[in-house]
Amino acid sequence: MTAETDKDREGAAEAAALDKVTDLVPEKQLDEGKVREAMADMAAAQKANKEAQRKREKELAAVKVKRADIELICREFEIEDRLAERRLRECNANVVEALKSFL
């Protein structure tokens, strides 16, 4: 009988060792309330970000730019009109500042 008990002990020790190796990361239960709160926070942050972008686009649209300035930037840096216009608006229609920003 001692041979069988030794085998049982040995088997139990091997099983315990295997459990230790395979269960490196303990399972965690998710708190449903925390998950919902995190999702709500993410949605609120995304909404705030979209609102800020919309506000920024409205501010940029209000900046008046000259067609000649857009063409100058397009010629100097060989870029599309829309990119030149965007940069010019971001620089408050300051041509020198817009040109420097491309360097």
Side-chain angles (χ1 to χ4, degrees):
M1 275 202 169
T2 60
E4 286 180 23
T5 56
D6 286 343
K7 282 186 179 180
D8 291 341
R9 286 183 193 156
E10 200 173 290
E14 288 175 1
L18 183 60
D19 283 343
K20 286 181 182 177
V21 171
T22 58
D23 292 338
L24 293 177
V25 178
E27 291 184 29
K28 294 182 180 179
Q29 255 186 336
L30 293 176
D31 182 7
E32 194 172 318
K34 287 182 180 179
V35 171
R36 285 186 182 167
E37 184 180 330
M39 293 294 287
D41 289 346
M42 286 175 38
Q46 187 176 21
K47 184 177 178 181
N49 188 26
K50 283 183 181 181
E51 184 61 35
Q53 286 177 342
R54 193 172 17 256
K55 183 180 177 185
R56 176 69 176 149
E57 290 301 320
K58 190 175 181 179
E59 289 172 357
L60 290 177
V63 175
K64 297 190 186 279
V65 294
K66 296 177 185 174
R67 186 71 197 153
D69 294 342
I70 295 171
E71 290 172 358
L72 172 68
I73 294 172
C74 289
R75 250 192 339 269
E76 291 298 318
F77 290 100
E78 298 179 0
I79 59 173
E80 296 178 14
D81 286 2
R82 64 181 181 81
L83 296 175
E85 183 179 355
R86 172 72 182 207
R87 186 64 58 93
L88 197 54
R89 288 183 188 278
E90 289 172 348
C91 295
N92 292 318
N94 184 332
V95 179
V96 176
E97 187 178 328
L99 289 169
K100 286 181 180 180
S101 71
F102 281 109
L103 298 178

